[in-house]
């Protein structure tokens, strides 16, 4: 394999670039900082926080307005799915190391994708074939608790 100095002499086009590399960088220089990417780092963090914050009005709006719109239900379901997917994705990134457990991490990634798909299909079925998410929450919230006496069944058996 040729050394870098030999490449500098043999390649006149890239000789200036290679010469700069040889003279300006050493093993003790810090690693270069990569350019920010919209899918990683701070942009990703801001998207996660914005998604979390958006769920607050999406959750309150149908009940405050008193209208149960299927489009609002669909947006709420999509927000819950995205928020959950991002949250579980962060858990996998933080707690399943890629270098030590690459196959297990790949299994977790595919499990997350499958679970997200199953939940999305479940929400779709619930929205199209049942009452919808906000109507179901309203029914659960306002349901009257059936008062059942614990003494009465005992007395029925005795009498």
């Amino acid at each position: 394999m040729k050394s870098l100095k030999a490449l500098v002499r043999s390649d006149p086009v890239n000789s200036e670039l290679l010469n700069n590399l040889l003279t300006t960088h050493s093993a003790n220089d810090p690693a270069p900082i990569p350019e920010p990417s919209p899918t990683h780092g701070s942009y990703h963090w801001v998207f996660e926080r914005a998604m979390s914050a958006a769920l607050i009005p999406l959750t309150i709006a149908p009940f405050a307005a008193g209208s149960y719109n299927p489009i609002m239900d669909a947006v709420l379901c999509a927000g819950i799915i995205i928020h959950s997917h991002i949250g579980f994705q962060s858990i996998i990134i933080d707690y399943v190391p890629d270098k030590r457990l690459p196959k297990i991490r790949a299994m977790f990634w595919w499990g997350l994708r499958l679970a997200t798909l199953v939940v999305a299909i479940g929400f779709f079925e619930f929205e199209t074939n049942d009452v919808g998410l906000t109507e179901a929450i309203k029914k659960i919230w306002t349901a009257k608790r059936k008062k059942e006496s614990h003494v009465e069944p005992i007395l029925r058996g005795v009498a």
Side-chain angles (χ1 to χ4, degrees):
M1 196 170 175
K2 288 183 175 181
S3 70
L4 284 175
K5 288 184 180 181
L7 280 173
V8 169
R9 280 181 250 138
S10 65
D11 187 6
V13 175
N14 292 322
S15 64
E16 186 179 335
L17 174 68
L18 290 171
N19 197 18
N20 284 339
L21 276 173
L22 287 174
T23 57
T24 59
H25 297 290
S26 71
N28 294 328
D29 289 341
I33 297 172
E35 290 295 320
S37 170
T39 58
H40 296 293
S42 64
Y43 295 116
H44 188 73
W45 186 87
V46 168
F47 177 74
E48 287 176 0
R49 298 306 165 263
M51 192 70 230
S52 299
L55 280 176
I56 296 169
L58 282 175
T59 305
I60 296 170
F63 303 107
S67 66
Y68 302 104
N69 188 341
I71 294 173
M72 183 64 101
D73 260 3
V75 172
L76 178 61
C77 289
I80 290 171
I81 291 169
I82 292 168
H83 175 74
S84 301
H85 183 85
I86 290 171
F88 284 113
Q89 182 182 28
S90 296
I91 291 171
I92 293 170
I93 289 170
D94 290 345
Y95 296 108
V96 184
D98 191 25
K99 291 182 181 179
R100 237 180 13 158
L101 307 166
K103 290 182 181 177
I104 292 176
R105 188 168 183 169
M107 182 181 70
F108 273 96
W109 281 126
W110 283 106
L112 175 62
R113 291 176 186 132
L114 178 66
T116 303
L117 180 66
V118 168
V119 169
I121 292 170
F123 270 139
F124 176 77
E125 287 293 320
F126 189 68
E127 287 293 320
T128 55
N129 298 327
D130 210 335
V131 294
L133 185 63
T134 53
E135 183 67 27
I137 291 170
K138 180 187 172 206
K139 284 184 176 186
I140 291 169
W141 193 268
T142 59
K144 301 284 187 217
R145 184 173 222 185
K146 189 177 181 181
K147 292 186 180 182
E148 211 175 288
S149 174
H150 295 291
V151 177
E152 190 178 321
I154 297 170
L155 292 178
R156 265 191 254 154
V158 173

